[in-house]
Amino acid sequence: MKHVVIVGGGFAGLHAAKKLGNKKGVRVTLLDRTNHHLFQPLLYQVAMAALSPADIAGPIRHILAGYRNITVLQDEVFEVHLAAQHIITPRSRLDYDYLILCCGSQHAYFGHEEWEEFAPGLKTIEQATEIRRRVLTAYEAAEREEDPQKQRSHLTFAIVGGGPTGVELAGAIGEMSRFTLDRDFRNIDPKLTRIILIEAGPRILPSFPAKLAGKATRDLEKLGVQVWANSPVTKIDGTGVQIDKERIECATVLWAAGVRPSALNAALGVALDRQGRVIVEPDLSVAGHPEVFVAGDQAHFDHGLAHPLPGIAPVALQQGHWIAQNILRSIRGAAPRPFQYLDKGQLATIGRSRAILQLGNLQLSGFLAWVAWLIIHIYYLIGFKNRLFVTLNWAWSFFSFRRGARLIINKEWRFYKSPQRDP
Amino acid sequence: MKHVVIVGGGFAGLHAAKKLGNKKGVRVTLLDRTNHHLFQPLLYQVAMAALSPADIAGPIRHILAGYRNITVLQDEVFEVHLAAQHIITPRSRLDYDYLILCCGSQHAYFGHEEWEEFAPGLKTIEQATEIRRRVLTAYEAAEREEDPQKQRSHLTFAIVGGGPTGVELAGAIGEMSRFTLDRDFRNIDPKLTRIILIEAGPRILPSFPAKLAGKATRDLEKLGVQVWANSPVTKIDGTGVQIDKERIECATVLWAAGVRPSALNAALGVALDRQGRVIVEPDLSVAGHPEVFVAGDQAHFDHGLAHPLPGIAPVALQQGHWIAQNILRSIRGAAPRPFQYLDKGQLATIGRSRAILQLGNLQLSGFLAWVAWLIIHIYYLIGFKNRLFVTLNWAWSFFSFRRGARLIINKEWRFYKSPQRDP
C-alpha cells in the first residue's frame, strides 16, 4: 500500500485527492491548515458582503468523505525532508511514498510587511471578513463624523494592484456605493465615495489584451472608480497612501498587488524562480525527486511555453489531476507523462453585470462576458447546495440591487474583556 | 418636532422604530453597538453550523431605510442623564424628548466572570462563531489525537444551563454527532460523543409544564444527551467542569445558565429588581420619568401577573410597539395606556424534528410542535430573503442530514502575525 501525502486542500490538492480516491494499492493523507476548501475566485464577493463564507467554502473532510482510503487532517507542515521522505507537523511525523505540495500563495508586500496591518490582502476567509468589516465600518464612521475632512477620508477607498482581484474589489465597492447603500444613510451621500485603483505598471489587467483592459477601465469609471496607472506606492500608513509626492487620505486601503508562494519552498533545497516558486520538471515533479510533485501557485511550470503558467484555478485543478494520474502510473510501473495544460482562458468581472473574457483569439466584454463568468463560476462551485444558494443569492442581488451579508462582525467575542471598538 | 432616542436595535427597539417611522411631528435616532438586528431565537443554529450569520441578521439601517425620519447610528451609550434629558456616547451628546431603553441582556456568570473564557455564552454573532469554532475544532483535534484519554476529552461537550438555549445547543450537538459527522472521520467515531446538559435546578426547562419538560428530556436522550439535574457547577477551567466532587474532563464547555441586563441600569438611579432589571410602571415608563421607557430583557414588568414577563422575543416586540404608541399618544396630548401582553406561548426545539410547545392550556410535543416552531420562526424572520434562504437551508439539512456552514474561522486574519493556532 503506497502512501500519498497531499499538503494543501485547494484546487490542486482536492482534485489530486479525488483522482486517487478509492483506488487500489494507495492510501492518501491530505493536510490543510484550515478545515475547508475555499472557492477563491469568489472570495471578493464575501469581502464585499454579497455572499456568506459558507456559500463558497466547504469542509474538506466532508467533500472527501466518500473515499475510504483518504484521511483528512487539519494540521500544518513545519518541515519537509526530501531525502528521508517524511514531513514534520507540530504533532507528528508522516512518512510518504509520494508527496504532493500545493500550499498556494499569500500576499507579498515587497519587503514592507508592516503595510499588511493597514492594507489587508484577500486570500483567506478571515481576511475577507476583515475587509468586509473595514469597508462597512468606514460608512458607519462617516455617518457619525461631523468634520468634513475626516468624513471624506472615511469615504475614500484605495485598492493597490490592478490585477483581476483589484479590479473586482474596486468594481464591487463602486457598485455598492452607487446602488446598494443609496437610501440607507442620512448624513452622508454614499454616491460620493471616492474609489482609487492604484497600479504600478502602465495599465491594469496586464495579463489581458490591451483592448479588453481598456474596456474594463471604462466600465470601472462608470462605477465611479478612478484608475491611477504608473503609480508605485511608496508608503501606506494608518491614514492614507503615498505615491511619491502625491498622497491620498483614506481610512481603507486594500492590497491586491502581489503574491508569493508558501514559505516552505525556501527550505526545500531545490531550484526556485525569482518569485520563490519551485521550478518543476515537465511531469510536475521536483528535479531529482520523481516521487515529489508541486502544483498550483507554488509551482513554476514553463516547459514549451513563452511565459510560466499563471496562478489561477484552472492551472491548479488540472495539475492536481495530472499528478494523481502520474502517481497511479508510477505505482503500476509506467513512466510519467509530461503535463499538458488545456487553456481555459481568463476572466475578470467588473460590478454587477459586466466582465471581460479572453480565450485564445476570442475576446468578449460587457454583459455577454458576464453571463459566461456567471455560468463558469456556478459550474465549478463545489457541491449542489453551494451552486443553488449562490445562484439564488446572485439572482436576489441582481434584481434588488442589494447585498445579502452586510454584517460587521467583531473579532473579540467576550463581554468581560474590552470589546473591539471601531477606529 | 419631538426627538425620540432608542437605545438598542433588538426586537423592542426595531419595532418601536417601525411604529414611529414616517409619523409626523417626530424624529427618531436609533443607536446600536452593532450594525445589525439579530434574530436571536435562531442564533444557536449559527453556533451549530446550520445557518450563516447573514441568514439571521440584517443591517439595521437597511431595515429602516424607508423611514425618512429615522437616523441609525452604530454607537454605544456611556451615560444616561435622566434629569437633563440627554445621553452621552463616546463621540457626542444626544438630547431627547423621549427615551426608549432596550439594550437587552448578556450572560451572567454569578460572580465567576473568569469562567467566560472557558465557557462562552450565546448572545452575539461573535459568540456564535466562537462556539462553532470550538465545537468543530474539537472534532479536528480528536481526529489527530492518539492518546485515548485526551481524545475522549475532545469528544465531550458540557452545556451549563437547562433552559431553552441549553436544550437547543445540546440537541443540536447530539444531532450533529449522531448523523451529520457520521462518515467524515477515520480515527474517531463521532457517534461516541458525550454530551452532558448540566442544570442546577431539579429539572430542565423550568418555565414549561413538567410533562413537556419530561418529553424534551427523553428526546434529548435519544440524541445521546445526558441530563444532569440538581447539579450546580462549582468550577470551570481549561480542561473541564467541576460539580462539587464530581468532575467532567471536556475540551468544550458552553454557557446557557443565566442572563443579566445591561450594565446601564445600575447607573440610572431607579428601582431595580434582584437581577438588575428596571421595574417599570404599567405603561412601561420609569417611575417619575413619564418620558423614559424600558422594554425587553432590560425591563421587569409584573403588573397584574404572578411572575414578571420572561425575556423572550414576543414580550420585547410587543413592548417596543406599545411604547411607540404611548409616545404618539403623549405627543398628541392623550394619556398613556397600561401595557397588555398577548401571550404567544413558548417553544423549545430538540434536534432536527422535535420540539415542545405550550400556549395557555395547549401542550404539544414531537414532530407537530416542531412544524409549529418552523412556521413561527420563518414567519417572524426579518426580510423576504432571509425567509427564503433559511427555509431552503433547513429543507436541505432536513433531507440530507447535513449542515451547511461547517467552517472553522480563525480570529486572526494576518499572515505576518502569528496566526491563531488550535489548542
Side-chain angles (χ1 to χ4, degrees):
Chain A
M1 188 76 106
K2 298 291 185 186
H3 185 209
V4 181
V5 170
I6 303 175
V7 185
F11 286 105
L14 200 67
H15 282 84
K18 281 186 165 178
K19 183 73 197 166
L20 295 168
N22 289 344
K23 289 289 189 304
K24 274 181 196 160
V26 57
R27 70 185 180 91
V28 177
T29 305
L30 188 152
L31 294 100
D32 198 291
R33 289 164 63 149
T34 76
N35 84 324
H36 49 267
H37 169 73
L38 174 62
F39 192 82
Q40 236 164 21
L42 288 180
L43 192 56
Y44 82 98
Q45 297 228 351
V46 173
M48 290 298 134
L51 295 175
S52 285
D55 293 333
I56 61 155
I60 298 169
R61 67 169 67 263
H62 183 74
I63 298 169
L64 299 174
Y67 304 109
R68 302 307 292 179
N69 65 334
I70 301 181
T71 303
V72 177
L73 293 179
Q74 190 187 359
D75 215 339
E76 221 168 330
V77 174
F78 276 5
E79 292 165 26
V80 177
H81 295 274
L82 294 181
Q85 290 198 196
H86 66 238
I87 62 165
I88 306 285
T89 81
R91 298 172 185 86
S92 58
R93 197 189 86 176
L94 279 171
D95 297 307
Y96 63 79
D97 297 301
Y98 297 95
L99 177 66
I100 308 178
L101 293 172
C102 36
C103 309
S105 56
Q106 61 188 59
H107 279 283
Y109 288 82
F110 311 122
H112 290 283
E113 276 67 42
E114 74 277 9
W115 291 354
E116 188 183 34
E117 190 185 340
F118 312 115
L122 185 64
K123 281 283 171 191
T124 66
I125 283 186
E126 288 80 2
Q127 291 172 324
T129 312
E130 173 67 16
I131 289 178
R132 184 199 290 182
R133 200 183 68 75
R134 290 188 183 203
V135 171
L136 297 179
T137 300
Y139 282 98
E140 296 297 332
E143 175 83 346
R144 281 190 310 254
E145 186 59 59
E146 277 159 31
D147 179 86
Q149 212 153 342
K150 286 186 189 161
Q151 204 174 52
R152 208 175 58 222
S153 147
H154 286 304
L155 291 178
T156 304
F157 297 85
I159 298 102
V160 184
T165 303
V167 167
E168 281 159 356
L169 285 171
I173 298 177
E175 193 75 47
M176 178 156 49
S177 57
R178 267 60 186 175
F179 300 104
T180 315
L181 301 179
D182 195 20
R183 283 161 52 87
D184 288 5
F185 293 87
R186 300 288 174 265
N187 304 325
I188 57 167
D189 180 359
K191 287 202 287 297
L192 295 179
T193 303
R194 299 187 299 175
I195 309 153
I196 299 167
L197 180 60
I198 304 169
E199 165 61 40
R203 67 168 170 98
I204 61 167
L205 299 167
S207 69
F208 283 83
K211 201 182 130 198
L212 281 185
K215 292 221 170 163
T217 305
R218 286 292 302 126
D219 285 342
L220 284 171
E221 283 168 353
K222 285 177 200 156
L223 292 171
V225 177
Q226 192 166 59
V227 174
W228 290 22
N230 291 313
S231 303
V233 166
T234 47
K235 193 183 163 195
I236 302 177
D237 55 40
T239 61
V241 177
Q242 192 94 26
I243 301 146
D244 230 340
K245 284 175 192 155
E246 289 191 295
R247 185 172 170 85
I248 307 163
E249 286 285 309
C250 55
T252 314
V253 187
L254 308 180
W255 186 262
V259 293
R260 58 172 203 183
S262 166
L264 225 50
N265 282 2
L268 286 178
V270 301
L272 307 180
D273 70 2
R274 278 176 60 190
Q275 287 177 44
R277 295 179 297 187
V278 174
I279 299 172
V280 292
E281 300 291 289
D283 68 344
L284 299 165
S285 69
V286 173
H289 290 279
E291 76 285 0
V292 179
F293 299 88
V294 188
D297 286 11
Q298 205 179 345
H300 170 115
F301 181 96
D302 60 5
H303 300 280
L305 301 168
H307 302 284
L309 289 176
I312 56 178
V315 171
L317 193 154
Q318 292 179 36
Q319 288 183 338
H321 192 85
W322 198 279
I323 288 170
Q325 280 181 319
N326 270 344
I327 288 175
L328 293 173
R329 289 176 69 85
S330 158
I331 289 172
R332 61 172 193 266
R337 288 173 56 218
F339 175 62
Q340 288 192 310
Y341 178 57
L342 177 63
D343 187 6
K344 297 275 183 96
Q346 52 178 343
L347 272 162
T349 171
I350 307 109
R352 206 172 48 98
S353 54
R354 293 190 193 90
I356 55 172
L357 180 157
Q358 185 241 329
L359 171 53
N361 289 325
L362 178 70
Q363 297 187 9
L364 273 181
S365 63
F367 188 73
L368 209 63
W370 181 76
V371 171
W373 175 89
L374 204 73
I375 293 169
I376 290 168
H377 282 77
I378 288 171
Y379 177 80
Y380 277 104
L381 260 182
I382 10 89
F384 162 75
K385 196 218 153 196
N386 300 64
R387 276 184 207 127
L388 174 69
F389 277 64
V390 169
T391 310
L392 284 170
N393 244 315
W394 283 347
W396 183 81
S397 303
F398 186 83
F399 291 111
S400 71
F401 283 88
R402 283 176 198 160
R403 284 171 184 266
R406 266 170 55 199
L407 304 184
I408 300 176
I409 300 180
N410 285 318
K411 282 171 280 187
E412 179 55 47
W413 60 272
R414 272 172 285 195
F415 273 115
Y416 295 103
K417 247 184 120 184
S418 168
Q420 186 79 20
R421 297 265 163 85
D422 317 329
Chain B
M1 187 77 104
K2 298 290 184 186
H3 185 208
V4 181
V5 170
I6 303 176
V7 184
F11 286 106
L14 200 66
H15 285 267
K18 280 184 167 180
K19 183 72 197 165
L20 294 169
N22 289 344
K23 290 286 189 302
K24 274 183 195 159
V26 56
R27 69 186 179 91
V28 178
T29 304
L30 190 151
L31 294 99
D32 198 290
R33 288 164 65 150
T34 76
N35 84 324
H36 49 268
H37 169 72
L38 174 62
F39 193 81
Q40 236 165 20
L42 288 180
L43 192 56
Y44 81 98
Q45 298 230 353
V46 173
M48 290 298 136
L51 294 175
S52 286
D55 292 333
I56 62 156
I60 298 169
R61 68 169 67 261
H62 183 73
I63 298 169
L64 299 174
Y67 304 109
R68 302 307 293 180
N69 65 335
I70 301 181
T71 304
V72 177
L73 294 179
Q74 190 186 359
D75 215 337
E76 223 169 328
V77 174
F78 276 2
E79 291 164 30
V80 177
H81 295 275
L82 295 182
Q85 293 199 191
H86 67 240
I87 61 167
I88 305 285
T89 81
R91 297 174 187 83
S92 58
R93 196 188 88 174
L94 279 172
D95 297 306
Y96 63 78
D97 297 301
Y98 297 94
L99 176 67
I100 308 178
L101 294 172
C102 37
C103 310
S105 56
Q106 61 189 60
H107 280 281
Y109 288 83
F110 310 123
H112 290 282
E113 275 67 44
E114 72 279 11
W115 292 354
E116 188 184 34
E117 190 185 340
F118 311 116
L122 185 65
K123 280 282 170 191
T124 65
I125 283 186
E126 287 80 2
Q127 290 172 326
T129 312
E130 173 67 14
I131 290 178
R132 184 199 291 182
R133 199 182 69 77
R134 290 188 184 204
V135 171
L136 297 178
T137 299
Y139 282 98
E140 296 296 331
E143 174 82 347
R144 280 190 310 253
E145 186 59 62
E146 276 159 32
D147 179 87
Q149 213 153 340
K150 286 186 189 161
Q151 204 174 54
R152 209 174 58 222
S153 146
H154 285 304
L155 291 178
T156 304
F157 297 86
I159 297 102
V160 185
T165 302
V167 167
E168 281 160 354
L169 285 171
I173 297 177
E175 192 75 48
M176 180 157 46
S177 57
R178 267 61 186 173
F179 300 103
T180 315
L181 301 179
D182 196 20
R183 285 161 51 87
D184 287 6
F185 293 87
R186 300 290 174 264
N187 304 324
I188 57 166
D189 180 0
K191 285 202 288 296
L192 294 179
T193 303
R194 301 186 300 175
I195 307 153
I196 299 167
L197 180 60
I198 304 170
E199 165 61 41
R203 67 168 171 95
I204 61 168
L205 299 168
S207 69
F208 283 84
K211 201 181 130 200
L212 280 185
K215 293 223 171 166
T217 306
R218 288 289 303 122
D219 284 341
L220 283 171
E221 283 168 352
K222 285 178 200 156
L223 293 172
V225 178
Q226 192 167 59
V227 174
W228 289 22
N230 292 314
S231 303
V233 166
T234 47
K235 193 183 163 197
I236 301 177
D237 55 38
T239 62
V241 177
Q242 193 95 26
I243 300 145
D244 229 341
K245 283 173 193 158
E246 288 191 298
R247 185 173 171 82
I248 307 162
E249 287 284 310
C250 54
T252 314
V253 187
L254 307 181
W255 186 262
V259 293
R260 60 173 201 180
S262 166
L264 225 51
N265 282 2
L268 286 178
V270 301
L272 307 180
D273 70 3
R274 278 177 59 193
Q275 288 176 45
R277 295 179 297 186
V278 175
I279 299 172
V280 292
E281 299 292 291
D283 67 345
L284 299 166
S285 69
V286 173
H289 290 280
E291 76 286 0
V292 179
F293 299 88
V294 188
D297 287 11
Q298 205 181 343
H300 171 116
F301 182 96
D302 60 5
H303 301 280
L305 301 167
H307 302 284
L309 289 175
I312 57 176
V315 172
L317 194 154
Q318 291 178 35
Q319 288 183 338
H321 191 86
W322 199 278
I323 287 170
Q325 280 180 318
N326 271 344
I327 289 174
L328 293 173
R329 289 176 69 84
S330 158
I331 290 173
R332 62 172 190 263
R337 289 172 53 217
F339 176 62
Q340 288 193 312
Y341 178 56
L342 176 64
D343 188 6
K344 297 274 183 98
Q346 50 178 343
L347 273 162
T349 172
I350 307 108
R352 207 172 47 99
S353 55
R354 293 188 192 90
I356 56 173
L357 179 157
Q358 185 241 331
L359 170 54
N361 289 324
L362 177 69
Q363 297 187 8
L364 273 181
S365 63
F367 188 74
L368 210 62
W370 181 76
V371 172
W373 174 88
L374 204 72
I375 292 168
I376 290 168
H377 281 76
I378 288 171
Y379 177 79
Y380 277 105
L381 259 181
I382 10 89
F384 161 76
K385 197 218 151 193
N386 299 64
R387 277 184 207 128
L388 174 69
F389 276 64
V390 168
T391 310
L392 284 170
N393 244 315
W394 284 346
W396 182 80
S397 302
F398 187 83
F399 292 110
S400 71
F401 283 89
R402 283 176 199 160
R403 283 169 186 268
R406 269 168 58 201
L407 303 185
I408 300 176
I409 300 181
N410 285 318
K411 282 172 279 188
E412 178 56 47
W413 60 271
R414 271 172 285 194
F415 275 115
Y416 295 102
K417 245 185 124 184
S418 169
Q420 186 79 21
R421 296 266 162 86
D422 318 328

